[in-house]
Amino acid sequence: KPKMAFGNRAKIIKANNEDPDDFEKSISQALLDLEINSDLKASLRELYITAAKEVTVNDKKAIVLFVPVPQLKQFQKIQPRLVRELEKKFSGKHVVFIAQRRILPKPTRKANKLKQKRPRSRTLTAVHSTILDDLVYPAEIVGKQIRIRLDGSR
């Protein structure tokens, strides 16, 4: 269990004990303010983020918050209210929560004798699919299409 730091690092715990940048500190501070001043106090107490990025899509800015996979369900329970409050704080930028997932490389011939089998949830396809699910939450994806060209490539 990671130790909680006080101040504006209380809501962000990065891998390998790295220092968060200024943008991540501002997000962390906003989450801390929400925990102190709103009715989300009980549900936000044990939650934290692992990273935050600002992404530009079609000349609009969006904030992507990466959360630990085990905490994703708890974040999704309060996501609509949390997103509303964070969008107010960060002047109308879109806010999305995505679980911090790991993609393991495809096992090679020489490496497969000593290691464990790669779980399906760590494959590139599975991770990209779940990231897409996280991105559109609370909506649900009901159908996907795979286009295959005449030469057989996807």
Side-chain angles (χ1 to χ4, degrees):
K1 185 119 179 127
K3 284 186 276 189
M4 289 301 244
F6 287 97
N8 58 2
R9 291 203 49 186
K11 284 286 153 196
I12 181 160
I13 299 175
K14 291 185 70 88
N16 306 329
N17 284 336
E18 293 171 29
D19 283 334
D21 59 27
D22 291 337
F23 178 68
E24 289 174 332
K25 284 179 183 169
S26 69
I27 297 284
S28 177
Q29 190 59 49
L31 285 170
L32 199 63
D33 294 345
L34 280 177
E35 183 183 338
I36 293 166
N37 299 327
S38 74
D39 57 339
L40 297 169
K41 186 180 181 75
S43 40
L44 266 176
R45 184 175 289 125
E46 67 276 358
L47 300 180
Y48 61 90
I49 61 172
T50 56
K53 282 187 182 147
E54 194 167 35
V55 186
T56 308
V57 183
N58 297 343
D59 300 329
K60 290 180 185 159
K61 297 224 184 252
I63 299 170
V64 180
L65 300 178
F66 291 93
V67 300
V69 179
Q71 291 186 1
L72 183 67
K73 278 275 186 277
Q74 287 121 304
F75 266 107
Q76 286 180 342
K77 279 181 190 161
I78 57 170
Q79 184 166 338
R81 281 159 45 212
L82 198 55
V83 165
R84 204 175 312 119
E85 294 298 323
L86 286 172
E87 282 178 351
K88 265 190 238 168
K89 267 194 197 297
F90 292 99
S91 64
K93 292 178 185 170
H94 296 292
V95 178
V96 290
F97 290 94
I98 293 179
Q100 181 83 56
R101 299 178 191 277
R102 169 157 287 137
I103 299 172
L104 293 179
K106 203 171 180 181
T108 55
R109 297 242 185 271
K110 61 177 181 271
N112 63 358
K113 289 177 179 63
L114 46 123
K115 279 198 249 145
Q116 292 178 321
K117 191 175 186 300
R118 175 174 68 154
R120 282 268 187 262
S121 63
R122 308 286 193 283
T123 62
L124 180 92
T125 314
V127 169
H128 285 184
S129 174
T130 49
I131 285 175
L132 193 59
D133 290 340
D134 294 348
L135 203 56
V136 300
Y137 188 85
E140 231 172 78
I141 297 173
V142 291
K144 291 181 185 173
Q145 288 183 340
I146 300 173
R147 288 198 180 149
I148 298 176
R149 296 197 197 98
L150 286 171
D151 62 356
S153 65
R154 288 179 179 202

